[in-house]
Amino acid sequence: MSAEATGQKFNIDTVEHAAGTPETDLPWAELGLKDNEFARIQEILGRRPTAAELAMYSVMWSEHCSYKSSKVHLSQFGEKVTEKMKEHLLVGIGENAGVVDIGDGWAVTFKVESHNHPSMVEPYQGAATGVGGIVRDIISMGARPVAVMDPLRFGAIDHPDTARVVHGVVAGIGGYGNSLGLPNIGGEVVFDSVYQGNPLVNALAVGVLRHEDIRLANASGTGNKVVLFGARTGGDGIGGASVLASESFDDTKPSKRPAVQVGDPFAEKVLIECCLELFKASVVEGIQDLGAAGISCATSELASNGDGGMHVELTNVLLRDPSLTPGEILMSESQERMMAVVTPENQAAFEAIMDKWNVEYSWLGEVTGTGRLVIDWAGETIVDVDPRTVAHDGPVYERPFARPEWLDALQQQKFDGERPASDSELRAAVLELMASPNMCSKDWITNQYDRYVQGNTAMAMPDDAGVVRVDEETGLGVAISTDCNARYSYLNPYEGARAALAEAYRNVATSGAKPLAVTDCLNFGSPEDPAIMWQFAETVRGLADACQELGVPVTGGNVSLYNQTGGVGIHPTPVVGVLGVFDDVTRRTPSGWREDGQAIYLLGTTRDELDGSEWANLRGHLGGQPPVVDLEAEMTLAAILINSSRDGMIDSAHDLSEGGLAAALSESSLRFGVGARIGLDELCERDGVDAFTALFSESHGRAIVGVPRSEEVRFKDMCTARRFPFIRVGVVDTANGALDVQGRFSLPLDELRAAHEGTLPKYFG
Amino acid sequence: MSTETPLIGSYSADAAGPDLTDARVGIVTFPGSLDDRDASRAIRLAGGTAVPLWHADSKLYDVDAVIIPGGFSYGDYLRAGAISRFSPLMDKIIDAANSDAKLPVLGICNGFQVLTEAHLLPGSMIKNDHLHFVCRDQRLRVETNATDWTASFEPGAEIVVPLKNQDGQYVADEKTLDELEGEGRVVFRYVDHNPNGSRRDIAGISNAAGNVVGLMPHPEHAVEAGFGPDASAAGPVELRGGLDGLNIFTSALKKIVGSKA
């Protein structure tokens, strides 16, 4: 961008000026626009855009904001939703977050989003503002945020750069989330070298509201006032959504503008309380948080979702840095800001609440009946657009996609590595598995998060799902789990997506909750690579099909593309979050057993499915086909787990996924430090597998449960009636202090725990 | 002006003893307070009546005791509690705590930090020695029952309550520490594991009169079955069934009701 364009001239690039200077050279390419996109903007406006309009279009038409590469596929989430699936849906895809009815007049809103690229550049602030952004989405629906979760992917645990990212990300999530008073109730942590140059930091937030309190992002009612409140607008995060690393942008300025936003959790905490007070007093008509694309996004979305237009005076925006240009003000992604629409009658009440919480605000303009979004700079019009063309009618690409040629060869490379057979080999293998980076205890991370605040956390990590109470009178509450196995998705993206949903669904049911709705964060490489676009298309198709089969709708989420470094993309990583409901959270089922003599049952069938498994990963193998997903079986298993929990037939339940039975038995023993005696012979005989396969296979549709003796008959009858495979594999032993796989090996829990809990402190402690 | 922070649900009204409802305990909310509603819940579950107090207010509304809850008041960007101590309400609390009436005051976590900044308690809190935020179920020993907030305990009793802090390392000069020890003002001590490097394993202290107590861990998170820690000092409990924090609140309520009778 030239000095002439960014200096004084930029400031006075009015609509009138633009109309008279069609030949002006504009930095559209530096702002991330393609030539066809710039041509389209000129076509829409019938002239060249002003500098400010260019800024708006460039951020709103970025991949991050416009979903231009993913839109044609994402529409399946809407098309494959049946009427039955909409039963509990109060607000679906398209708003800041979906809203689900959980009964008794209560609703829950939840969503997962990515903050991957900022977290690579600046791990602490990237992760912190990731939490901040998703929490503001929740507030804008009218809800009180009640919990957060963080699915994370890092590079190889022993790579020299990983510790930098891990320390920054964990401290950022903790530093922000803890200061907001939001319990962190779960998430995932995976280490894999494919994420070395592209760590994934996804953030999920949950909020709670009464049905009548739902707020939407629209600006209606001509004459209503538009107000910006919260933190002041600064130079941080400019172009974050479109040109994160663009060196060329604005390099004539005295200082470089950081493209990563800087968070202030205290400001956000005050903003939460202040917004909830606004909602309670019913003084806002529409509300929108400012995230990616800042004021550009908020004004164009509010205006295009409303029934008219909007007229805003940009010099009214309170600034941290008075040297910002109009374009920068429109693009700034400064955190902790909200925009609202308020009737003139409510202005005084609005201001009183702002004053009480010491929150700064400025009245920017008003809703008009013109259908145009008009933005002035000191009285001169610098933006005059149809807001729909900015917010919704961005470019849509049908990117070419093609099944990668290498996939056939990959799928034929079945796991043929080491299969421990002797008792001592099996023992060593279990210890190795439980100490491995992906299966080891994540306490070192989760102990840096507050899981108690708000006093409603009924369950958190390391149990299968996070559970929070919503209604203190009745115990009504929700369970949430997020899951994804990117190795499965790499081997078969369609099945991998189904597996991610199946596992999150199973986890929620394992906790005892009835699954209701889905949110997803689809993390992929470059959509301009046909192979990656094919992975994306297959993932969406798989997830949409599986949602339909399980009867749970996607209510919202996020797509993160271009997660690649040096031309190599990450494994397709579709993180899926499932929300379930409890009539009473005190009925939730923990993942560990405690009562001596209780029977341990394994539900489901074990097949020889080691491709893509954690064991194969430990042996450096990735090939073949991932474990088969049978959603009919998942639904039956879920029904058994939910009914058993409700009727008091089980005291513990843990799903089998990564690491198979070996991991599940170890984790259930370590949960409360209570051992068990396990026998594998009957299982091996029934399913035709050896002990190694029984322990390490990752077949889906399985769980282990602890059944009180008094309930065994009833429990078995229920499984029989539902024709679901079950087998007694052992008994809880409070005295032996070991995981004793009888006739094969015994692992003292102290030794197992030391291996399990030692890994993260060794690398990061 | 008093404040009413929006609540999710309403609190259960059942009380340990109806006579305790006469005890009115003020819960202070600063901007950035986080565990204020949790502290209110704890008072209700202990049988008392919780009264929300707003930092900018300069009235105590005749409360019989005050709890300054956990959180990050004003973001704690300068020094934990450094700004909060200057609020109008804190002036009133300082006066009432030092008056002949000796208003019972409990500062939990950030509240403890505020009490040291306000010079109601000696010493100070610095960043944990391991530099990380830590959240864990923590075993404590109640060293004395000569305070308003521990009167119902046997000296030497142990409890397990959650601990969660970033700046929880209690420090003071040796002379002050010796005085605290000598005067029996070390109220709580970490047992088994010192989670933040606090001098002499100190988790909580009192003023000379025993009406003002500061405590780093969070007893208000161990008051309700199903939502507390997975352990109690007495032995195994149901899932999240630890209730060891309750007696701290009950101690103060009983003392208040006793002094009114």
Side-chain angles (χ1 to χ4, degrees), chain A residues 26-47:
Chain A
L26 290 169
W28 48 267
E30 289 90 328
L31 290 169
L33 289 167
K34 305 285 190 242
D35 48 5
N36 62 310
E37 293 170 348
F38 182 64
R40 174 73 189 130
I41 293 168
Q42 290 190 298
E43 188 190 329
I44 288 170
L45 296 174
R47 56 174 165 79

Side-chain angles (χ1 to χ4, degrees), chain A residues 264 356 447 450 452 469 594, chain B residues 3 77 135 137 164 237:
Chain A
D264 174 0
K356 174 184 163 187
N447 285 349
D450 184 349
Y452 281 105
R469 174 174 59 181
R594 279 189 293 191
Chain B
T3 187
Y77 294 134
C135 177
D137 298 344
K164 41 178 199 143
V237 291

Side-chain angles (χ1 to χ4, degrees), chain B residues 76-113:
Chain B
D76 283 351
Y77 294 134
L78 175 58
R79 213 171 51 241
I83 297 178
S84 308
R85 65 160 285 208
F86 293 108
S87 74
L89 190 70
M90 275 312 294
D91 288 341
K92 296 289 166 194
I93 292 173
I94 293 167
D95 290 348
N98 288 329
S99 72
D100 293 343
K102 302 205 181 314
L103 182 79
V105 177
L106 173 65
I108 302 170
C109 195
N110 192 229
F112 188 3
Q113 293 158 343

Side-chain angles (χ1 to χ4, degrees), chain A residues 26 80 95 115-116 150 219 239 249 255 297 342 358 377 386 397 402 455 489 498 608 618 639 662 707:
Chain A
L26 290 169
K80 289 179 182 169
E95 286 290 338
H115 227 218
N116 303 337
D150 294 278
F249 182 60
S255 64
C297 179
V342 179
N358 277 326
W377 181 259
D386 175 349
Y397 292 129
S489 281
R498 287 159 53 86
D608 187 342
L618 287 175
V707 184

Side-chain angles (χ1 to χ4, degrees), chain A residues 209-224:
Chain A
L209 66 166
R210 302 291 300 171
H211 286 191
E212 61 272 21
D213 292 335
I214 294 175
R215 293 293 189 287
L216 299 178
N218 58 50
S220 296
T222 300
N224 284 344

Side-chain angles (χ1 to χ4, degrees), chain B residues 125 129 168-171 190 194-203:
Chain B
M125 232 71 66
D129 56 356
Q169 181 178 181
Y170 180 73
V171 293
Y190 298 116
N194 183 333
N196 44 31
S198 289
R199 300 294 176 274
R200 304 190 190 184
D201 298 335
I202 289 174

Side-chain angles (χ1 to χ4, degrees), chain B residues 25 43 65-67 103-106 147-153 188 210-213 247-249 251-253 256:
Chain B
V25 179
I43 287 298
V66 164
I67 295 177
L103 182 79
V105 177
L106 173 65
T147 80
D148 291 350
W149 300 91
T150 55
S152 302
F153 285 92
F188 300 94
N211 62 314
V212 178
V213 169
N247 207 14
I248 291 175
F249 304 101
S251 291
L253 297 179
I256 293 163

